[in-house]
């Protein structure tokens, strides 16, 4: 089943390559008839739409396969399941498997990818092959990160997403500063990951293997763990991101296409979350315990810095981007709480953020921007006058972003803070400031855009179309459903998270 998850997006990419980027209606003898049919059935006669449909159908097939794996997953054991091993060229050995933690990151990836494709479904009409192929390849690479059972493979796929996102921002981004944004993203995350590669090579020199299961059974001295831990943490902190390496994220979000922002917020930031759980806690537990006070301090600085920076933003996409930094700081607090509730809360908050943050980007960078053609908050006001349904969705996602009860984000934040409270109440109180600060900037953004006298700078606009409504509804349903029924996820995490902490004692 894992092989299907990895191969189907690649097969979809190959199918897209065989489609010509032209409108087949020009081959009709009756030109007027050809144009008329093309307008009525664009998915049959307009090859750009055929490319988009192939990408969307491929991503949906992958979503159904991941749901099938979830329904057939045995959560009563901590063992890797659906294990797949194969070799290539007599020296490349690939080993993949899913456990109780990675299954949810795989599900999040397969869920967010079709959302990203639909978010730019009508906006991208040039270089459509490159655009939609990039997102299918990106889906495979991300899934490979979450299912790799080898540390070197984890690093390779962890880094392989960089050139794809770089190309997306560089070619399909907007704004005069997109080149700087693309290079900031690429160089910051690449430079941060080089120490990880050195740490992996050192581990290989110790044990002659980079297999996760073999390494987890070996003992590494505390002094060696400290050095290795620093190498891994630098890479993961740059990808999270944590202060002071946060500058690339707002720039990447503000200048990337909408689908790029959706993927960045929904899944790319979760690569680091998974890395903390899979590598630092699992393989280097003693060094993790030793460095935890420093990590908690960095997280508090990141939360406060990002929240205060968010409040003063005038660009809507930058505001949502800075809020992501603050939320990911709470996620890392929960991971390093060294408690089962804290880690489970971090995973819940990561999943909830993967629903809510893309929805907010779609609202401000898609729905609103497509109509008013600006992201400057001062120029937008009173949208509820013409967009009541959109305003309702905006309100619900704003509440979820704050962490209001009955949302998945609420449970994630509370469990993360409860977990860190058991370890250090002072850090928990400081971390809880994110709740107050997120309410400040989230309510300000919603109130400023939605209410008041309609802005004289804007023409009358239309409310949500069917595509936008379905996208936002698809993101809202799991946010509320899992907020009301969190046991569906939590019950399946107990064994894996308990084993993660206590098997290393």
């Amino acid at each position: 089943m894992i092989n299907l998850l990895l191969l189907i997006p690649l097969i979809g990419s190959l199918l897209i390559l065989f489609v010509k980027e032209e409108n087949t209606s020009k081959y009709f003898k009756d030109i007027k008839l050809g144009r008329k049919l093309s307008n009525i059935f664009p998915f049959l006669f307009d090859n750009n739409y055929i490319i988009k449909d192939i990408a969307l159908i491929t991503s949906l097939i992958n979503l159904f396969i991941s749901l099938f794996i979830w329904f057939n997953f045995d959560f009563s054991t901590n063992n890797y399941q659906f294990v797949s091993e194969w070799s290539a060229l007599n020296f490349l050995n690939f080993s993949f498997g899913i456990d109780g933690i990675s299954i949810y990151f795989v599900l999040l990836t397969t869920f967010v990818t079709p959302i990203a494709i639909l978010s730019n479904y009508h906006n991208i009409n040039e270089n459509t092959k490159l655009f939609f192929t990039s997102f299918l390849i990106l889906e495979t690479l991300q899934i490979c990160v979450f299912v790799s059972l080898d540390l070197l493979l984890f690093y390779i796929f962890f880094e392989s997403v960089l050139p794809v996102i770089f190309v997306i921002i560089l070619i399909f981004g907007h704004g005069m500063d997109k080149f700087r944004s693309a290079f900031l993203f690429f160089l910051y995350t690449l430079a941060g990951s080089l120490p990880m590669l050195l740490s992996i090579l050192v581990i290989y020199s110790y044990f002659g293997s980079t297999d996760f299961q073999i390494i987890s059974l070996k003992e590494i001295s505390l002094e060696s763990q400290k050095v290795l831990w620093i190498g891994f943490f630098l890479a993961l902190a740059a990808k999270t991101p944590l202060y002071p390496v946060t500058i690339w994220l707002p720039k990447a979000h503000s200048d990337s296409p909408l689908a790029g922002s959706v993927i960045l917020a929904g899944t790319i930031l979760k690569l680091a979350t998974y890395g903390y759980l899979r590598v630092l806690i699992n393989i280097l537990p003693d060094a993790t315990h030793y460095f935890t006070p420093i990590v908690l301090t960095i997280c508090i600085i990141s939360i406060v810095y990002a929240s205060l920076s968010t409040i003063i933003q005038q660009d809507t996409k930058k505001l949502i981007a800075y809020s992501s930094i603050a939320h990911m700081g709470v996620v890392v607090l929960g991971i390093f709480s060294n408690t089962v509730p804290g880690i489970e809360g971090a995973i819940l908050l990561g999943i909830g953020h993967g629903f809510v943050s893309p929805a907010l980007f779609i609202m401000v960078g898609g729905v609103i921007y497509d109509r008013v053609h600006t992201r400057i908050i001062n120029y937008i006001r009173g949208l509820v006058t013409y967009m009541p349904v959109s305003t309702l969705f905006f309100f619900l996602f704003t509440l979820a972003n704050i962490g209001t009860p009955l949302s998945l984000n609420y449970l994630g934040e509370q469990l993360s803070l409860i977990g860190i409270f058991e370890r250090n109440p002072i850090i928990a109180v400081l971390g809880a400031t994110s709740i107050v600060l997120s309410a400040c900037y989230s309510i300000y953004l919603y109130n400023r855009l939605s209410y008041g006298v309609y802005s004289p700078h804007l023409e009358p606009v239309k409310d949500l179309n069917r595509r936008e409504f379905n996208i936002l509804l698809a993101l809202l349903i799991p946010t509320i459903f899992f907020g009301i029924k969190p046991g569906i996820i939590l019950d399946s995490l107990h064994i894996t998270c308990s084993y993660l902490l206590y098997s290393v004692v």
Side-chain angles (χ1 to χ4, degrees), residues 100-280:
I101 293 177
S102 59
I103 179 65
Y104 288 106
F105 291 100
V106 171
L107 282 168
L108 183 63
T109 302
T110 58
F111 180 82
V112 171
T113 299
I115 296 292
I117 291 172
L118 279 172
S119 66
N120 269 141
Y121 196 79
H122 293 306
N123 303 93
I124 304 297
N125 294 306
E126 295 181 2
N127 292 326
T128 50
K129 281 188 180 182
L130 178 60
F131 185 83
F132 291 98
T133 300
S134 297
F135 281 94
L136 292 180
I137 294 173
L138 197 59
E139 181 179 18
T140 291
L141 296 177
Q142 291 177 95
I143 294 174
C144 285
V145 174
F146 298 129
V147 302
S148 292
L149 302 184
D150 186 277
L151 196 53
L152 185 58
L153 285 179
F154 171 83
Y155 171 80
I156 292 172
F157 294 120
F158 186 85
E159 290 303 293
S160 62
V161 302
L162 300 185
V164 182
I165 295 291
F166 176 79
V167 169
I168 290 173
I169 297 175
L170 201 62
I171 296 179
F172 301 98
H174 43 74
M176 298 293 293
D177 218 18
K178 66 178 182 179
F179 294 98
R180 183 170 182 267
S181 300
F183 279 100
L184 275 177
F185 166 75
F186 186 83
L187 295 176
Y188 261 79
T189 51
L190 178 63
S193 297
L194 291 178
M196 179 196 283
L197 177 59
L198 296 176
S199 297
I200 293 173
L201 295 177
V202 171
I203 290 176
Y204 182 80
S205 69
Y206 285 165
F207 308 123
S209 174
T210 53
D211 185 274
F212 276 125
Q213 292 178 305
I214 294 176
I215 296 172
S216 63
L217 298 175
K218 302 292 184 179
E219 291 188 6
I220 305 175
S221 67
L222 178 58
E223 296 304 316
S224 297
Q225 281 195 36
K226 290 178 182 178
V227 177
L228 296 172
W229 189 94
I230 292 173
F232 283 106
F233 180 75
L234 290 174
L236 299 174
K239 189 84 80 175
T240 304
L242 295 175
Y243 184 84
V245 286
T246 57
I247 189 174
W248 65 267
L249 184 64
K251 294 293 296 178
H253 272 302
S254 63
D255 293 325
S256 70
L258 178 57
S261 293
V262 170
I263 287 292
L264 274 172
T267 57
I268 296 295
L269 298 187
K270 310 308 178 293
L271 300 181
T273 302
Y274 181 74
Y276 292 125
L277 296 169
R278 182 62 66 214
V279 180
L280 296 188

Side-chain angles (χ1 to χ4, degrees), residues 310 314-321 323 355-369 371-372 374-377 380-404 407 438-451 463-464 468-469 471-473 475-476 479-480:
T310 302
Q314 290 301 310
D315 184 299
T316 54
K317 285 186 76 174
K318 280 190 176 180
L319 191 149
I320 304 300
S323 72
F355 296 143
V356 173
S357 190
L360 290 174
F361 276 113
I362 290 170
M363 284 298 309
V364 301
V367 175
I368 295 176
Y369 179 78
R371 288 156 175 77
V372 304
T374 182
R375 299 201 307 262
I376 304 302
I377 296 175
I380 309 171
R381 187 171 67 245
L383 293 180
V384 70
T385 305
Y386 295 101
M387 304 174 68
V389 178
S390 173
T391 302
L392 176 61
F393 274 108
F394 198 4
F395 177 67
L396 294 174
F397 284 115
T398 298
L399 292 181
N401 195 50
I402 295 171
T404 306
S407 67
S438 67
C440 291
Y441 59 71
S442 297
I443 293 175
Y444 163 74
L445 177 66
Y446 169 73
N447 187 62
R448 184 65 176 79
L449 300 187
S450 301
Y451 297 108
D463 208 343
L464 296 178
E468 294 164 339
F469 179 86
I471 292 173
L472 294 173
L473 185 63
L475 290 167
L476 181 64
T479 302
I480 303 300

